[in-house]
Amino acid sequence: MARPLFLSLSLCLILLFHGCLARSRTAQYQSQNACQLNRLEAREPDHKHECEGGLLESWDPNHEEFQCAGVALLRLTIQPNGLHLPSYTNAPQLVHVIRGRGVLGTIFPGCAETFEESQRGLGGGGQPGSQRDRHQKLHHIREGDIIALPAGLAYWSYNDGDQPLVTVNLVHVSNSDNQLDLEPRRFYLAGNPHDEFPQSRIQQGQGRRSEERQRRREEEKEQQGLPNNIFSGFSVRYIQEAFNVDSETARRIQNQNDFRGSIIRVKDRLDLVRPPRSRQEQEHEMRRQESRQAEREHSRRQSSRDNGLEETVCTMRLRENIGDPARADVFSPQAGRLSTVNGYNLPILNWLQLSAERGFLYSNAMYSPHYNINAHAIIYVIRGRARCQVVDDFGRSVFDGELRQGQALTVPQNFAIVKQAENEGFEWVSFKTNDRAKVNQLAGRISYIWALPEDVVANAYQISREQARRLKYNRQEASLFSTSHQSIRPAVTA
């Protein structure tokens, strides 16, 4: 009896494994099939939701380019004293702070509440029985920060500055940590928020019944104020028992009559337990991070294997600033600068399998023609304008146009791209779907053309040896080029 039972269990496990493998291959095939793109578009947000304390904008994730890259994109504008309510997503996020400053709080399960109120701050002089406020670590965030948020990690953000806090969030829905589907989902833990991606469930081929259900749900939500946070689905009795509170408090948690949206305005100011922020402390923190980063990179050179003690989950760094000009990885006084963040200088990105690049091109400067070897790239324009061309594997130009502030352009893996700034310059951030994204330059000192023998160049392009030499060595810069003329505009056909 034991042997047949063992064989049956083994067979079940094998079938289960092959089923998972087949599902993985099907998802991979669908993702690859979505990349049969004849044309790319520079897109602006498709949906906007006004909230009491800010604005939420999202791009439709069903656009072919986003389906190809397996991502969703949204932009948050939090007004001064605005609070983006606690929530989590089904896939990892990269958040880039475009403007402003604020506070970000994360909730790692099982980690200690290391920020706590002092006895002096308590009413009644800190008498026995009084409870001090404790919470997990808070992160000061500012313009230029990249913030890495794992799938399912609850977080909130607050604008404690005097200008709007603007962030662009990339949700990597095709990441292996997302076990649901390729639909971006945000789970709110408070409030009565809007659906951030209202069309995603309708357009994924779920039929008329799904469309009717979604429309009914939106109508009910508008007419009755249908709650949309996690606790609204539980009965009041269970909430009472779980938190040991009265029924009135339990109903408040469900936010049944809350119409402020997902970004609310705080009364007065948030009273948070946090270290003070000063310019001297910011500079000290930056120097300390640079020192830690250099030590970490040195240790990685010594050994290719992590020892498991480098960082713990509770204390790992979640952010890196790539907007500071002094931190540039590539710099040209005539052309501009580039800064990158990846799994080497922000180790949590090894887990999320994401990275980012921020660049600034001076007036009429050019970023060398290049392609991403192992990643899709989602470019968001921070400010300025540029002419851009993208070429696919058939040598066709699938994008030839202008990129301007607030637009997003997806560049699939291996598609070649070139950018040239307009007179006012061009600044962008590029999210990449690999923690160690690699770029191959097609022109310049570190390019493919420099690596070829002159005879190969001459024969490949049917030019003389002298022409091949000029083709190789005329451009001495690495990747950012200064130019003597304005960007080339596409010809207009009648």
Side-chain angles (χ1 to χ4, degrees), residues 221-280:
K221 184 175 176 62
E222 289 180 7
Q223 295 173 6
Q224 304 173 16
L226 180 66
N228 199 25
N229 74 61
I230 291 295
F231 294 109
S232 66
F234 295 120
S235 69
V236 172
R237 184 173 66 84
Y238 280 133
I239 295 176
Q240 281 184 262
E241 291 293 336
F243 291 96
N244 193 23
V245 294
D246 57 47
S247 61
E248 174 63 21
T249 302
R251 290 189 180 91
R252 289 279 186 175
I253 291 174
Q254 292 181 325
N255 294 100
Q256 292 180 353
N257 297 307
D258 190 342
F259 303 99
R260 297 174 295 171
S262 55
I263 305 172
I264 65 172
R265 185 181 297 113
V266 174
K267 296 178 181 179
D268 300 323
R269 305 283 289 182
L270 278 190
D271 185 13
L272 302 172
V273 181
R274 54 176 170 161
R277 184 199 300 241
S278 68
R279 178 172 297 180
Q280 291 79 10

Side-chain angles (χ1 to χ4, degrees), residues 440-441 443-450 477-479:
N440 193 8
Q441 309 283 353
R445 195 180 67 247
I446 57 174
S447 69
Y448 126 91
I449 201 75
W450 272 56
E477 298 100 324
S479 55

Side-chain angles (χ1 to χ4, degrees), residues 438-477:
K438 300 178 179 64
V439 170
N440 193 8
Q441 309 283 353
L442 301 180
R445 195 180 67 247
I446 57 174
S447 69
Y448 126 91
I449 201 75
W450 272 56
L452 291 176
E454 288 180 10
D455 267 357
V456 173
V457 175
N459 282 275
Y461 299 111
Q462 300 183 51
I463 57 179
S464 68
R465 185 75 178 266
E466 180 59 31
Q467 289 174 313
R469 187 174 293 111
R470 289 200 299 271
L471 182 64
K472 280 191 65 171
Y473 301 119
N474 272 6
R475 182 61 76 176
Q476 295 291 318
E477 298 100 324

Side-chain angles (χ1 to χ4, degrees), residues 25 190 225 296 305 308 493:
R25 285 175 175 170
R296 189 174 290 114
R305 299 181 63 186
T493 57

Side-chain angles (χ1 to χ4, degrees), residues 62-216:
N62 294 289
H63 289 311
E64 289 182 327
E65 302 99 313
F66 295 135
Q67 291 282 308
C68 169
V71 301
L73 198 65
L74 62 127
R75 181 170 63 207
L76 293 176
T77 301
I78 306 175
Q79 295 298 332
N81 215 32
L83 172 67
H84 184 216
L85 294 171
S87 66
Y88 58 92
T89 57
N90 61 325
Q93 289 188 82
L94 272 191
V95 179
H96 187 52
V97 182
I98 302 298
R99 183 156 61 102
R101 72 174 200 187
V103 178
L104 180 87
T106 54
I107 299 92
F108 279 95
C111 294
E113 293 79 26
T114 54
F115 282 37
E116 62 180 2
E117 192 176 25
S118 67
Q119 289 285 356
R120 292 181 183 177
L122 295 175
Q127 296 175 359
S130 56
Q131 184 66 46
R132 290 185 292 174
D133 185 24
R134 294 185 177 90
H135 53 73
Q136 289 192 12
K137 180 179 179 179
L138 302 182
H139 308 268
H140 291 294
I141 58 176
R142 61 187 177 95
E143 180 178 339
D145 276 351
I146 280 281
I147 304 149
L149 299 173
L153 178 72
Y155 74 100
W156 54 270
S157 50
Y158 171 64
N159 184 350
D160 66 345
D162 54 5
Q163 63 174 321
L165 171 63
V166 183
T167 68
V168 173
N169 300 29
L170 177 120
V171 185
H172 190 202
V173 292
S174 63
N175 191 280
S176 58
D177 281 349
N178 176 20
Q179 299 292 303
L180 294 175
D181 49 33
L182 296 182
E183 178 183 319
R185 301 169 187 255
R186 183 179 293 274
F187 300 79
Y188 275 97
L189 295 166
N192 184 9
H194 299 95
D195 190 350
E196 293 180 0
F197 301 98
Q199 299 299 318
S200 62
R201 292 173 176 83
I202 296 174
Q203 294 183 359
Q204 286 187 358
Q206 295 183 13
R208 292 183 180 177
R209 193 172 299 172
S210 175
E211 184 173 350
E212 291 266 343
R213 187 166 56 249
Q214 177 73 7
R215 188 169 64 249
R216 265 199 319 270

